[in-house]
Amino acid sequence: MTPTLLETLTPGAPDVSIAVFAPLPKPFGEKDRQKLAVAVRTLSEGSQEYPRRTAWRMTDGRTIDASLLPDGVAIRFAVPKENLANGIALVEGLLRRPLVPQEDLDRNLVAIQRREPGYWAAALRPLSNDLKSLKQEEARALLRRVFDPKRVVVAVGGDFDAGKPTEFWANRTEDWKPDPGPRYPDITPTPEPSENPAGVTTVELRGPAFAAADPTLAPKWLALVALGVGKGSALFEKVRQVEGWSYRQEAILWPDPAGLVPRLVAATVSDEDESGRAEALRKTLQTAVDAWTEADRARAIGLAAASLERGLPLGPLWLVDGPPGVYDRSLLDAYWWSKAGVRWDPNRLAAALRNVTLDELKSTAAALLAGAKPIVLPGR
Amino acid sequence: MLPLLAIALAQQGPLPPIPQPPRLRTILPNGATILVIRRPGAQAVWVRLLLAARGGEDTPATHGRRHLLEHLVAVGTDGTLDRRLETEGAILRAQTLRDATEIAVDAPANKLDLALSAIGEMLRLRPLKTEDVAREAGILRQEAALQEIPTRLSSAAWRVAYGDKGLDPFGDLTAIRAATPAAIAALHQTLTAGPNLVLVVSGDVDLDKATAKATAILRAAPKIERPWTTRGEAKPGRDDSVQGYSEARALPVPAYDDVRTVAALAAALAYASEVPGTFVAYTPSGRPGMVVVGRSGESEGLGTYIDRADPASLYERAQLLVRRWLRRQMDDPGSDASLRGLLLAQSTGYSPDAMQEAIDKMTFSDFKAAFDAFRGDRAITVTGS
């Protein structure tokens, strides 16, 4: 069967960007998550027919970027537009016949014992890994299961003849059969972290997940911007500028197998008793929400529209390593199709944000705060 | 003959407008520099104010004072600047580098006046109280906890090479806490003297009109000339005390437009293309600088690769990578404005074109020399655990 491929025409673009989102199968346990974290890091080594140095020629020197998100695997790379067919061949090879060198598995096994690269990334995703070994065959089998043609979505953006990527893709994938998967898949639960390996304490209010296709996405999106995106947000103004206990604090829509999770997170140094900080944060933010005026709504709309319409990487949506920017359009297309069943349409969302009233904004923000779980993870 | 020419011109109708050049650089009588870049059809306008560090460079006693000033000035004169900008779809970011402090405003295409007005606020420091400085020093303590490993590796390499003349732009928390409002105000005065100011405007703008608007912002700055302090000769060495599993190899380099510098950058980019998870750090400077290649999460392997790599097999790729490195910065309007501003802040004659020329001149022999230097006794090794 031929998996979904989305085309986005961008006349004049010198490069073609190719992105994949493969949602995790269900169920998917913690042991498999750790194995997949190691296996995904080897995807930059290319496919069995196009190893890294060959792929490097196809991409004109650009690297293949592959990441394990909480809800799936994301792959991104670009090729010069004249290499469109090569790019399609490369992505098909990566998904069906990844190279997965054993020496890279061994090296990445060591690397993931440490922490996510980047303090903020590690603070947001305080995972611990204790996987001891992973053989090539097992890693390849796991990738085959994740890269299921029924679920995987590929997006191609650039200056090409409409229909060409679809034609190349169909020719290469019509014989692709879904992997039956294991009879008894891993269902080991992921343990709740009790501390933060990034060394900083995170103080968080975390809401329940909601679907990307949720009809109330627009007020929720705008409420998160008003609460914690930009330097005019409640989080920045209260937590950083007034209370002064955090340098970095953000409202985030976090990718999750159950949908999107609203998170209000502030990082702070780990030398004080922080246990009451999350409830205090809830109170501070609720007071700010109560005092919001049309000026707060206008700021949130101005910033959110700038992000959506001009591609500024500002959030709240978080994908691979932060809010997606103008160069992540193909990944957003693939991701949103997988999560919501429709293409990513920033202009439509921006228009919907403009229709959110102040009352709706305040009540949505208040509900997000009231329903959020307080979490404090001390740094170690 | 003259009447005939006049008739001929009249028959042609109005003369077509003379196309404007892509860029216009203006140096004001007070030494401030304005660069306006035309980007027809651009949906945004990118405005960059650079405050050259000349005369205000960090010393051990003042280490981090420019960074502290950046925090204090970037909020504007009444603390509502970010709200005002964000409401109009504009954002302001600030960063402190060794050679300059950069204030960047990205705004919708029709909001140039708003962006310039925000830049104008950077030149007027609000009256500071001791508690303002203390609160911001507390924020910097929080920021220190989130410093990423590439930054730590790079800072360590600079410290080895240049000692007190290569202090990191972040600063020392003790020195930062010791800053007084008067000292911050004096530093602001130094950094906003005419010769230290560069204003870059990039977008779908008229060169002359945008230059006139930028001139109105900068022309009141006093003309006070101060020299750069010299960075001195770099020393080789190593530092194994960085916090967090990591490793880096670094090479001190001359100015950004020297072929040895671009060869070192090309070598670093070639290494990074072979060793997964590797970063390359280089900030173009007319002064002695540093090319750093490193990675976090692992503390061995990169050095071994560098020591064994074959320059001949990587040369072609390195040429392509270093060209792309520069092109990527120049293709993005915001990055291009920042790079041009940073270079102009050091000298009105500096431009990325000189770096491009150095790249064009680079030979295999230059590349091999950089390769040898990365594994020779001039290189710096930094590791962390």
Side-chain angles (χ1 to χ4, degrees), chain A residues 52-53 56 60 107 114 118-119 231-232 237 240-241 245 268-269 271 296 299 310, chain B residues 82-83 86 89 92 135 139 141-142 147-148 245 273-274 297-298 317 324 332:
Chain A
R52 184 159 54 90
R53 288 185 187 180
W56 191 87
D60 199 22
R107 193 170 49 76
R114 287 148 190 181
Y119 280 77
K231 292 190 278 183
E237 288 194 340
R240 174 168 158 162
Q241 296 302 91
W245 56 268
T268 185
V269 293
D271 56 357
D296 295 281
R299 184 206 71 87
R310 302 212 315 270
Chain B
D82 289 304
R83 274 182 162 262
E86 289 173 1
L92 181 148
R135 195 197 60 239
I139 298 289
R141 173 173 167 258
Q142 297 286 341
Q147 267 203 323
E148 300 291 0
Y245 284 104
S273 74
E274 283 289 300
E298 298 182 56
R317 189 188 314 171
R324 176 170 306 132
D332 179 84

mmCIF file of all heavy atoms in Angstrom, chain A residues 52-53 56 60 107 114 118-119 231-232 237 240-241 245 268-269 271 296 299 310, chain B residues 82-83 86 89 92 135 139 141-142 147-148 245 273-274 297-298 317 324 332:
data_model
loop_
_atom_site.group_PDB
_atom_site.id
_atom_site.type_symbol
_atom_site.label_atom_id
_atom_site.label_comp_id
_atom_site.label_asym_id
_atom_site.label_seq_id
_atom_site.Cartn_x
_atom_site.Cartn_y
_atom_site.Cartn_z
ATOM 1 N N ARG A 52 25.119 7.163 4.478
ATOM 2 C CA ARG A 52 25.236 8.606 4.742
ATOM 3 C C ARG A 52 26.000 9.357 3.656
ATOM 4 O O ARG A 52 25.575 10.426 3.228
ATOM 5 C CB ARG A 52 25.897 8.821 6.102
ATOM 6 C CG ARG A 52 25.982 10.266 6.525
ATOM 7 C CD ARG A 52 26.162 10.403 8.019
ATOM 8 N NE ARG A 52 27.280 9.667 8.513
ATOM 9 C CZ ARG A 52 28.512 10.150 8.622
ATOM 10 N NH1 ARG A 52 28.749 11.388 8.264
ATOM 11 N NH2 ARG A 52 29.493 9.417 9.069
ATOM 12 N N ARG A 53 27.125 8.795 3.216
ATOM 13 C CA ARG A 53 27.922 9.574 2.248
ATOM 14 C C ARG A 53 27.230 9.657 0.886
ATOM 15 O O ARG A 53 27.376 10.644 0.170
ATOM 16 C CB ARG A 53 29.309 8.975 2.114
ATOM 17 C CG ARG A 53 30.111 9.248 3.369
ATOM 18 C CD ARG A 53 31.517 8.794 3.287
ATOM 19 N NE ARG A 53 32.117 8.959 4.608
ATOM 20 C CZ ARG A 53 33.342 8.660 4.901
ATOM 21 N NH1 ARG A 53 34.149 8.171 3.991
ATOM 22 N NH2 ARG A 53 33.813 8.843 6.121
ATOM 23 N N TRP A 56 24.458 12.067 1.381
ATOM 24 C CA TRP A 56 25.034 13.408 1.455
ATOM 25 C C TRP A 56 25.110 14.037 0.058
ATOM 26 O O TRP A 56 24.860 15.227 -0.115
ATOM 27 C CB TRP A 56 26.416 13.278 2.087
ATOM 28 C CG TRP A 56 27.040 14.568 2.467
ATOM 29 C CD1 TRP A 56 26.883 15.238 3.632
ATOM 30 C CD2 TRP A 56 27.923 15.353 1.662
ATOM 31 N NE1 TRP A 56 27.606 16.396 3.607
ATOM 32 C CE2 TRP A 56 28.254 16.490 2.417
ATOM 33 C CE3 TRP A 56 28.457 15.215 0.383
ATOM 34 C CZ2 TRP A 56 29.104 17.472 1.923
ATOM 35 C CZ3 TRP A 56 29.301 16.196 -0.103
ATOM 36 C CH2 TRP A 56 29.613 17.309 0.677
ATOM 37 N N ASP A 60 23.037 17.306 -1.180
ATOM 38 C CA ASP A 60 24.005 18.392 -1.372
ATOM 39 C C ASP A 60 24.599 18.828 -0.026
ATOM 40 O O ASP A 60 24.731 20.018 0.265
ATOM 41 C CB ASP A 60 23.327 19.574 -2.075
ATOM 42 C CG ASP A 60 24.353 20.509 -2.710
ATOM 43 O OD1 ASP A 60 25.474 20.062 -2.971
ATOM 44 O OD2 ASP A 60 24.031 21.692 -2.908
ATOM 45 N N ARG A 107 27.032 3.123 20.219
ATOM 46 C CA ARG A 107 27.435 4.463 20.646
ATOM 47 C C ARG A 107 26.230 5.244 21.205
ATOM 48 O O ARG A 107 26.312 5.890 22.239
ATOM 49 C CB ARG A 107 28.029 5.218 19.452
ATOM 50 C CG ARG A 107 28.752 6.486 19.800
ATOM 51 C CD ARG A 107 29.503 7.032 18.601
ATOM 52 N NE ARG A 107 28.668 7.104 17.415
ATOM 53 C CZ ARG A 107 27.752 8.025 17.204
ATOM 54 N NH1 ARG A 107 27.566 8.973 18.089
ATOM 55 N NH2 ARG A 107 27.033 8.021 16.106
ATOM 56 N N ARG A 114 22.676 9.504 29.206
ATOM 57 C CA ARG A 114 22.926 10.814 29.810
ATOM 58 C C ARG A 114 21.642 11.612 29.828
ATOM 59 O O ARG A 114 20.783 11.368 30.618
ATOM 60 C CB ARG A 114 24.075 11.488 29.094
ATOM 61 C CG ARG A 114 25.383 10.778 29.511
ATOM 62 C CD ARG A 114 26.422 10.737 28.464
ATOM 63 N NE ARG A 114 27.498 9.842 28.898
ATOM 64 C CZ ARG A 114 28.581 9.594 28.220
ATOM 65 N NH1 ARG A 114 28.773 10.193 27.070
ATOM 66 N NH2 ARG A 114 29.487 8.751 28.661
ATOM 67 N N GLY A 118 20.825 19.665 25.541
ATOM 68 C CA GLY A 118 20.183 20.952 25.814
ATOM 69 C C GLY A 118 19.472 20.925 27.155
ATOM 70 O O GLY A 118 18.708 20.006 27.445
ATOM 71 N N TYR A 119 19.738 21.947 27.970
ATOM 72 C CA TYR A 119 19.163 21.991 29.315
ATOM 73 C C TYR A 119 17.661 22.154 29.285
ATOM 74 O O TYR A 119 16.935 21.546 30.050
ATOM 75 C CB TYR A 119 19.807 23.125 30.123
ATOM 76 C CG TYR A 119 21.152 22.739 30.667
ATOM 77 C CD1 TYR A 119 22.266 22.714 29.848
ATOM 78 C CD2 TYR A 119 21.291 22.364 31.991
ATOM 79 C CE1 TYR A 119 23.494 22.339 30.327
ATOM 80 C CE2 TYR A 119 22.516 21.985 32.486
ATOM 81 C CZ TYR A 119 23.622 21.975 31.647
ATOM 82 O OH TYR A 119 24.836 21.579 32.123
ATOM 83 N N LYS A 231 7.275 38.109 25.627
ATOM 84 C CA LYS A 231 7.724 38.825 26.824
ATOM 85 C C LYS A 231 6.631 39.730 27.414
ATOM 86 O O LYS A 231 6.833 40.329 28.454
ATOM 87 C CB LYS A 231 8.981 39.623 26.489
ATOM 88 C CG LYS A 231 10.161 38.678 26.215
ATOM 89 C CD LYS A 231 11.475 39.400 26.114
ATOM 90 C CE LYS A 231 11.671 40.001 24.753
ATOM 91 N NZ LYS A 231 12.961 40.665 24.583
ATOM 92 N N GLY A 232 5.488 39.773 26.737
ATOM 93 C CA GLY A 232 4.350 40.469 27.325
ATOM 94 C C GLY A 232 3.381 39.489 27.975
ATOM 95 O O GLY A 232 2.303 39.880 28.407
ATOM 96 N N GLU A 237 5.978 38.231 32.514
ATOM 97 C CA GLU A 237 5.867 39.465 33.310
ATOM 98 C C GLU A 237 5.859 39.179 34.808
ATOM 99 O O GLU A 237 6.488 39.889 35.586
ATOM 100 C CB GLU A 237 4.603 40.235 32.905
ATOM 101 C CG GLU A 237 4.739 40.876 31.531
ATOM 102 C CD GLU A 237 3.652 41.909 31.262
ATOM 103 O OE1 GLU A 237 2.613 41.861 31.934
ATOM 104 O OE2 GLU A 237 3.859 42.742 30.354
ATOM 105 N N ARG A 240 9.188 36.156 35.738
ATOM 106 C CA ARG A 240 10.544 36.649 35.500
ATOM 107 C C ARG A 240 10.713 38.103 35.941
ATOM 108 O O ARG A 240 11.625 38.417 36.697
ATOM 109 C CB ARG A 240 10.910 36.500 34.021
ATOM 110 C CG ARG A 240 12.248 37.123 33.720
ATOM 111 C CD ARG A 240 12.821 36.786 32.387
ATOM 112 N NE ARG A 240 13.790 37.819 32.006
ATOM 113 C CZ ARG A 240 14.701 37.682 31.085
ATOM 114 N NH1 ARG A 240 14.809 36.568 30.431
ATOM 115 N NH2 ARG A 240 15.517 38.665 30.790
ATOM 116 N N GLN A 241 9.842 38.975 35.467
ATOM 117 C CA GLN A 241 10.083 40.397 35.693
ATOM 118 C C GLN A 241 9.699 40.861 37.101
ATOM 119 O O GLN A 241 10.326 41.752 37.645
ATOM 120 C CB GLN A 241 9.345 41.235 34.650
ATOM 121 C CG GLN A 241 9.827 41.028 33.222
ATOM 122 C CD GLN A 241 11.310 41.315 33.039
ATOM 123 O OE1 GLN A 241 12.144 40.429 33.171
ATOM 124 N NE2 GLN A 241 11.655 42.561 32.748
ATOM 125 N N TRP A 245 12.194 34.587 39.683
ATOM 126 C CA TRP A 245 12.781 33.294 40.063
ATOM 127 C C TRP A 245 13.045 32.348 38.889
ATOM 128 O O TRP A 245 13.415 31.202 39.089
ATOM 129 C CB TRP A 245 11.939 32.583 41.135
ATOM 130 C CG TRP A 245 10.490 32.332 40.811
ATOM 131 C CD1 TRP A 245 9.444 33.157 41.101
ATOM 132 C CD2 TRP A 245 9.922 31.193 40.169
ATOM 133 N NE1 TRP A 245 8.260 32.609 40.679
ATOM 134 C CE2 TRP A 245 8.523 31.395 40.109
ATOM 135 C CE3 TRP A 245 10.437 30.018 39.636
ATOM 136 C CZ2 TRP A 245 7.649 30.471 39.532
ATOM 137 C CZ3 TRP A 245 9.574 29.098 39.068
ATOM 138 C CH2 TRP A 245 8.195 29.329 39.019
ATOM 139 N N THR A 268 14.040 26.794 37.165
ATOM 140 C CA THR A 268 14.681 27.611 38.198
ATOM 141 C C THR A 268 15.874 26.854 38.773
ATOM 142 O O THR A 268 15.927 25.623 38.670
ATOM 143 C CB THR A 268 13.660 27.987 39.295
ATOM 144 O OG1 THR A 268 14.258 28.877 40.227
ATOM 145 C CG2 THR A 268 13.143 26.765 40.038
ATOM 146 N N VAL A 269 16.818 27.578 39.351
ATOM 147 C CA VAL A 269 17.991 26.894 39.926
ATOM 148 C C VAL A 269 17.540 26.056 41.117
ATOM 149 O O VAL A 269 16.548 26.359 41.777
ATOM 150 C CB VAL A 269 19.096 27.889 40.356
ATOM 151 C CG1 VAL A 269 19.690 28.580 39.157
ATOM 152 C CG2 VAL A 269 18.575 28.893 41.346
ATOM 153 N N ASP A 271 18.380 25.215 44.311
ATOM 154 C CA ASP A 271 18.998 25.292 45.628
ATOM 155 C C ASP A 271 18.019 25.766 46.703
ATOM 156 O O ASP A 271 18.401 26.170 47.775
ATOM 157 C CB ASP A 271 20.220 26.194 45.596
ATOM 158 C CG ASP A 271 19.907 27.582 45.074
ATOM 159 O OD1 ASP A 271 18.753 27.822 44.688
ATOM 160 O OD2 ASP A 271 20.808 28.411 45.037
ATOM 161 N N ASP A 296 -4.520 42.744 26.550
ATOM 162 C CA ASP A 296 -3.879 41.429 26.640
ATOM 163 C C ASP A 296 -4.319 40.541 25.476
ATOM 164 O O ASP A 296 -3.517 39.797 24.908
ATOM 165 C CB ASP A 296 -4.233 40.769 27.976
ATOM 166 C CG ASP A 296 -3.647 41.547 29.139
ATOM 167 O OD1 ASP A 296 -2.439 41.401 29.402
ATOM 168 O OD2 ASP A 296 -4.393 42.337 29.753
ATOM 169 N N ARG A 299 -2.523 41.744 22.347
ATOM 170 C CA ARG A 299 -1.116 41.317 22.316
ATOM 171 C C ARG A 299 -1.006 39.851 21.894
ATOM 172 O O ARG A 299 -0.197 39.475 21.051
ATOM 173 C CB ARG A 299 -0.458 41.507 23.691
ATOM 174 C CG ARG A 299 1.036 41.172 23.687
ATOM 175 C CD ARG A 299 1.558 40.752 25.037
ATOM 176 N NE ARG A 299 1.096 39.447 25.440
ATOM 177 C CZ ARG A 299 1.690 38.294 25.122
ATOM 178 N NH1 ARG A 299 2.780 38.286 24.391
ATOM 179 N NH2 ARG A 299 1.177 37.133 25.526
ATOM 180 N N ARG A 310 3.815 34.680 9.568
ATOM 181 C CA ARG A 310 5.174 34.973 9.096
ATOM 182 C C ARG A 310 6.154 33.851 9.436
ATOM 183 O O ARG A 310 7.339 33.922 9.112
ATOM 184 C CB ARG A 310 5.698 36.288 9.700
ATOM 185 C CG ARG A 310 4.840 37.497 9.395
ATOM 186 C CD ARG A 310 5.637 38.790 9.289
ATOM 187 N NE ARG A 310 6.628 38.996 10.315
ATOM 188 C CZ ARG A 310 6.410 39.618 11.478
ATOM 189 N NH1 ARG A 310 5.210 40.083 11.755
ATOM 190 N NH2 ARG A 310 7.377 39.783 12.349
ATOM 191 N N ASP B 82 7.889 45.469 25.186
ATOM 192 C CA ASP B 82 7.575 44.181 24.569
ATOM 193 C C ASP B 82 6.083 44.055 24.285
ATOM 194 O O ASP B 82 5.683 43.541 23.243
ATOM 195 C CB ASP B 82 8.053 43.040 25.465
ATOM 196 C CG ASP B 82 9.567 42.940 25.472
ATOM 197 O OD1 ASP B 82 10.144 42.810 24.388
ATOM 198 O OD2 ASP B 82 10.167 43.037 26.556
ATOM 199 N N ARG B 83 5.252 44.496 25.226
ATOM 200 C CA ARG B 83 3.799 44.451 25.012
ATOM 201 C C ARG B 83 3.415 45.270 23.787
ATOM 202 O O ARG B 83 2.604 44.847 22.958
ATOM 203 C CB ARG B 83 3.071 45.045 26.217
ATOM 204 C CG ARG B 83 2.837 44.038 27.292
ATOM 205 C CD ARG B 83 2.072 44.637 28.444
ATOM 206 N NE ARG B 83 1.533 43.549 29.216
ATOM 207 C CZ ARG B 83 0.292 43.099 29.102
ATOM 208 N NH1 ARG B 83 -0.559 43.684 28.294
ATOM 209 N NH2 ARG B 83 -0.109 42.074 29.812
ATOM 210 N N GLU B 86 4.672 43.369 20.629
ATOM 211 C CA GLU B 86 3.991 42.097 20.355
ATOM 212 C C GLU B 86 2.553 42.331 19.900
ATOM 213 O O GLU B 86 2.026 41.583 19.072
ATOM 214 C CB GLU B 86 4.060 41.206 21.600
ATOM 215 C CG GLU B 86 5.489 40.700 21.835
ATOM 216 C CD GLU B 86 5.686 39.939 23.141
ATOM 217 O OE1 GLU B 86 4.710 39.773 23.892
ATOM 218 O OE2 GLU B 86 6.822 39.516 23.406
ATOM 219 N N GLY B 89 2.567 42.580 16.336
ATOM 220 C CA GLY B 89 3.169 41.459 15.610
ATOM 221 C C GLY B 89 4.677 41.565 15.467
ATOM 222 O O GLY B 89 5.272 40.925 14.591
ATOM 223 N N LEU B 92 11.173 41.674 19.900
ATOM 224 C CA LEU B 92 12.512 42.216 20.164
ATOM 225 C C LEU B 92 13.317 41.154 20.878
ATOM 226 O O LEU B 92 12.844 40.532 21.823
ATOM 227 C CB LEU B 92 12.405 43.478 21.034
ATOM 228 C CG LEU B 92 13.720 44.191 21.388
ATOM 229 C CD1 LEU B 92 13.476 45.698 21.521
ATOM 230 C CD2 LEU B 92 14.341 43.671 22.688
ATOM 231 N N ARG B 135 17.781 42.721 41.016
ATOM 232 C CA ARG B 135 16.796 41.770 40.498
ATOM 233 C C ARG B 135 17.297 41.151 39.190
ATOM 234 O O ARG B 135 17.195 39.952 38.966
ATOM 235 C CB ARG B 135 15.455 42.467 40.271
ATOM 236 C CG ARG B 135 14.326 41.457 40.091
ATOM 237 C CD ARG B 135 13.075 42.039 39.480
ATOM 238 N NE ARG B 135 13.367 42.573 38.169
ATOM 239 C CZ ARG B 135 13.183 43.844 37.822
ATOM 240 N NH1 ARG B 135 12.708 44.701 38.687
ATOM 241 N NH2 ARG B 135 13.476 44.259 36.614
ATOM 242 N N ILE B 139 18.171 37.245 37.877
ATOM 243 C CA ILE B 139 17.732 36.586 36.630
ATOM 244 C C ILE B 139 18.936 35.979 35.911
ATOM 245 O O ILE B 139 18.863 34.879 35.362
ATOM 246 C CB ILE B 139 17.040 37.607 35.700
ATOM 247 C CG1 ILE B 139 15.780 38.176 36.356
ATOM 248 C CG2 ILE B 139 16.719 36.987 34.350
ATOM 249 C CD1 ILE B 139 14.635 37.224 36.465
ATOM 250 N N ARG B 141 21.557 34.847 37.269
ATOM 251 C CA ARG B 141 21.913 33.616 37.982
ATOM 252 C C ARG B 141 21.043 32.457 37.466
ATOM 253 O O ARG B 141 21.520 31.339 37.272
ATOM 254 C CB ARG B 141 21.686 33.831 39.481
ATOM 255 C CG ARG B 141 21.858 32.594 40.315
ATOM 256 C CD ARG B 141 21.780 32.940 41.803
ATOM 257 N NE ARG B 141 21.642 31.741 42.589
ATOM 258 C CZ ARG B 141 20.505 31.312 43.120
ATOM 259 N NH1 ARG B 141 19.405 32.008 42.972
ATOM 260 N NH2 ARG B 141 20.464 30.198 43.821
ATOM 261 N N GLN B 142 19.782 32.752 37.223
ATOM 262 C CA GLN B 142 18.896 31.735 36.663
ATOM 263 C C GLN B 142 19.327 31.370 35.239
ATOM 264 O O GLN B 142 19.301 30.209 34.854
ATOM 265 C CB GLN B 142 17.450 32.258 36.641
ATOM 266 C CG GLN B 142 16.859 32.567 38.000
ATOM 267 C CD GLN B 142 16.504 31.298 38.771
ATOM 268 O OE1 GLN B 142 16.373 30.227 38.192
ATOM 269 N NE2 GLN B 142 16.362 31.428 40.079
ATOM 270 N N GLN B 147 22.695 27.510 30.820
ATOM 271 C CA GLN B 147 23.701 27.629 29.747
ATOM 272 C C GLN B 147 23.933 26.265 29.106
ATOM 273 O O GLN B 147 24.189 25.286 29.812
ATOM 274 C CB GLN B 147 25.010 28.139 30.316
ATOM 275 C CG GLN B 147 25.144 29.632 30.238
ATOM 276 C CD GLN B 147 26.589 30.060 30.276
ATOM 277 O OE1 GLN B 147 27.394 29.471 30.976
ATOM 278 N NE2 GLN B 147 26.926 31.074 29.535
ATOM 279 N N GLU B 148 23.886 26.242 27.799
ATOM 280 C CA GLU B 148 24.022 24.971 27.100
ATOM 281 C C GLU B 148 25.484 24.563 26.970
ATOM 282 O O GLU B 148 26.387 25.404 27.039
ATOM 283 C CB GLU B 148 23.372 25.072 25.713
ATOM 284 C CG GLU B 148 21.887 25.406 25.739
ATOM 285 C CD GLU B 148 21.020 24.274 26.303
ATOM 286 O OE1 GLU B 148 21.565 23.218 26.673
ATOM 287 O OE2 GLU B 148 19.797 24.471 26.365
ATOM 288 N N TYR B 245 28.893 15.812 30.065
ATOM 289 C CA TYR B 245 29.651 15.015 29.107
ATOM 290 C C TYR B 245 29.759 15.782 27.796
ATOM 291 O O TYR B 245 28.745 16.103 27.167
ATOM 292 C CB TYR B 245 28.962 13.675 28.852
ATOM 293 C CG TYR B 245 29.151 12.694 29.972
ATOM 294 C CD1 TYR B 245 28.126 12.436 30.867
ATOM 295 C CD2 TYR B 245 30.359 12.033 30.138
ATOM 296 C CE1 TYR B 245 28.296 11.537 31.907
ATOM 297 C CE2 TYR B 245 30.546 11.136 31.178
ATOM 298 C CZ TYR B 245 29.503 10.891 32.058
ATOM 299 O OH TYR B 245 29.675 10.020 33.082
ATOM 300 N N SER B 273 30.496 17.046 9.612
ATOM 301 C CA SER B 273 29.695 16.271 8.661
ATOM 302 C C SER B 273 29.979 14.779 8.783
ATOM 303 O O SER B 273 29.231 13.950 8.274
ATOM 304 C CB SER B 273 29.959 16.741 7.225
ATOM 305 O OG SER B 273 31.228 16.290 6.779
ATOM 306 N N GLU B 274 31.075 14.439 9.432
ATOM 307 C CA GLU B 274 31.448 13.034 9.577
ATOM 308 C C GLU B 274 31.100 12.464 10.947
ATOM 309 O O GLU B 274 30.944 11.260 11.097
ATOM 310 C CB GLU B 274 32.966 12.884 9.358
ATOM 311 C CG GLU B 274 33.384 12.948 7.914
ATOM 312 C CD GLU B 274 32.949 11.711 7.139
ATOM 313 O OE1 GLU B 274 33.354 10.610 7.502
ATOM 314 O OE2 GLU B 274 32.171 11.863 6.170
ATOM 315 N N GLY B 297 27.111 15.214 25.197
ATOM 316 C CA GLY B 297 26.623 13.843 25.373
ATOM 317 C C GLY B 297 27.735 12.819 25.306
ATOM 318 O O GLY B 297 27.591 11.707 25.782
ATOM 319 N N GLU B 298 28.874 13.182 24.699
ATOM 320 C CA GLU B 298 29.991 12.244 24.607
ATOM 321 C C GLU B 298 31.277 13.003 24.881
ATOM 322 O O GLU B 298 31.395 14.177 24.545
ATOM 323 C CB GLU B 298 30.037 11.607 23.219
ATOM 324 C CG GLU B 298 28.773 10.812 22.951
ATOM 325 C CD GLU B 298 28.770 10.119 21.608
ATOM 326 O OE1 GLU B 298 29.700 9.341 21.348
ATOM 327 O OE2 GLU B 298 27.846 10.372 20.828
ATOM 328 N N ARG B 317 34.033 18.487 -0.031
ATOM 329 C CA ARG B 317 32.855 18.692 0.803
ATOM 330 C C ARG B 317 33.021 19.945 1.670
ATOM 331 O O ARG B 317 32.094 20.729 1.848
ATOM 332 C CB ARG B 317 32.636 17.481 1.698
ATOM 333 C CG ARG B 317 31.319 17.546 2.431
ATOM 334 C CD ARG B 317 31.180 16.450 3.456
ATOM 335 N NE ARG B 317 31.571 15.150 2.951
ATOM 336 C CZ ARG B 317 31.701 14.071 3.721
ATOM 337 N NH1 ARG B 317 31.492 14.162 5.013
ATOM 338 N NH2 ARG B 317 32.058 12.916 3.203
ATOM 339 N N ARG B 324 28.213 27.147 1.970
ATOM 340 C CA ARG B 324 26.812 27.100 2.411
ATOM 341 C C ARG B 324 26.646 27.784 3.775
ATOM 342 O O ARG B 324 25.640 28.430 4.037
ATOM 343 C CB ARG B 324 26.310 25.663 2.494
ATOM 344 C CG ARG B 324 24.896 25.658 3.035
ATOM 345 C CD ARG B 324 24.165 24.360 2.971
ATOM 346 N NE ARG B 324 24.149 23.828 1.640
ATOM 347 C CZ ARG B 324 24.444 22.577 1.352
ATOM 348 N NH1 ARG B 324 24.787 21.755 2.307
ATOM 349 N NH2 ARG B 324 24.381 22.155 0.130
ATOM 350 N N ASP B 332 19.111 34.363 4.781
ATOM 351 C CA ASP B 332 18.060 34.694 5.744
ATOM 352 C C ASP B 332 18.154 36.187 6.058
ATOM 353 O O ASP B 332 19.193 36.660 6.534
ATOM 354 C CB ASP B 332 18.252 33.874 7.021
ATOM 355 C CG ASP B 332 17.187 34.213 8.045
ATOM 356 O OD1 ASP B 332 16.110 33.632 7.954
ATOM 357 O OD2 ASP B 332 17.439 35.068 8.919
#
